[in-house]
Amino acid sequence: MDGNGRWAKKRFMPRVAGHAQGVERVRDIVEACIQRGVEYLTLFAFSSENWRRPEEEVSRLMELFVMALEREVTRMHRNGVCLRVVGDLGRFDARLRELIAQGEARTKENKRLTLTVCANYGGRWDILNAVNNWRRDNPDATTVPISEDALAPYLTMPYAPEPDLFIRTGGEQRISNFLLWQLAYSELYFTDTLWPDFDAEALDLAIASYRKRERRFGRTSEQLLER
Ligand code: IPE
Ligand code: MG
């Protein structure tokens, strides 16, 4: 979700106003996804690298995260959303961690849409964390190579299928350490639309683009026709 700062700057507002507007968009997009039958939505809210931002902005982001959890969980629950927050959560303060745990516990049986929020997340961290946890569980396997299937359950989102579509807003064309392992075969979609402007219509453009893609997973077009 990129472009909050620029959205605010264009309006001569402080960057944090863009983040606040971004939170509103999250609510709209979650609901638009539910209406469209999307079952898994994963949002990159805060990367491990975002701590490098000015202290003031980081603390406002944390406040917004707390406020969003306080305000939105009830609504999510009513809408059948199962909330998961993944990342290195140890660096967040106790209040935030408590709200995350409560929100997850309250919504855990919901099946309509699984909303994963990646917070203090990094794709490389995810992979290394998985390898280290696998090693912890397999202390004697030092000479055995790890297989993809063995590692997958140790990644942060074993409950979700790999993403079909990756959307980056805000004009940049890079992954920026998001889901590196899981995006291996995802269709990538980049748009100049800033996140606070990314509405249901913009989502539909992304989905329309996805529908035109041919997903071969390494096969040829001809092979796909035979299947
Ligand atoms: C993304 O918007 C929000 C977060 C990283 C939390 P930015 O803050 O990166 O917005 P721009 O790129 O400055 O416009
Ligand atoms: Mg940015």
Side-chain angles (χ1 to χ4, degrees), residues 1-8 15 19 44-47 50 53 57 61 168 170 172 194-196:
M1 299 183 286
D2 199 10
N4 296 351
R6 279 164 283 164
W7 183 92
R15 293 179 55 81
H19 296 316
F44 201 4
F46 194 83
S47 75
N50 285 147
R53 293 190 174 202
E57 183 171 343
L61 280 166
R168 181 171 184 149
E172 243 72 70
L194 305 173
W195 174 254

Side-chain angles (χ1 to χ4, degrees), residues 41-144:
L41 173 66
T42 304
L43 299 173
F44 201 4
F46 194 83
S47 75
S48 353
E49 291 74 29
N50 285 147
W51 296 106
R52 297 177 191 153
R53 293 190 174 202
E55 214 179 299
E56 164 89 20
E57 183 171 343
V58 171
S59 70
R60 274 300 288 149
L61 280 166
M62 295 300 144
E63 280 168 30
L64 273 173
F65 202 3
V66 166
M67 268 165 53
L69 285 163
E70 283 171 345
R71 287 189 193 158
E72 303 297 332
V73 170
T74 299
R75 189 190 182 93
M76 282 185 207
H77 188 48
R78 225 187 308 130
N79 283 335
V81 173
C82 169
L83 174 70
R84 307 286 295 249
V85 181
V86 303
D88 193 359
L89 304 185
R91 201 162 160 191
F92 294 128
D93 74 24
R95 169 87 186 123
L96 184 49
R97 277 182 290 159
E98 187 188 302
L99 283 168
I100 291 170
Q102 282 171 3
E104 287 184 331
R106 190 162 165 208
T107 61
K108 75 174 196 293
E109 304 295 338
N110 294 337
K111 299 267 178 294
R112 241 165 125 192
L113 175 110
T114 300
L115 171 65
T116 303
V117 175
C118 294
N120 196 19
Y121 176 89
R124 290 181 179 174
W125 167 83
D126 193 354
I127 295 167
L128 287 178
N129 193 49
V131 172
N132 288 326
N133 288 337
W134 181 86
R135 279 222 314 243
R136 182 203 60 210
D137 288 355
N138 299 274
D140 304 325
T142 44
T143 56
V144 184

Side-chain angles (χ1 to χ4, degrees), residues 165-179:
L165 173 63
F166 161 97
I167 299 172
R168 181 171 184 149
T169 60
E172 243 72 70
Q173 303 197 358
R174 50 177 175 260
I175 310 280
S176 298
N177 203 15
F178 193 34
L179 307 164

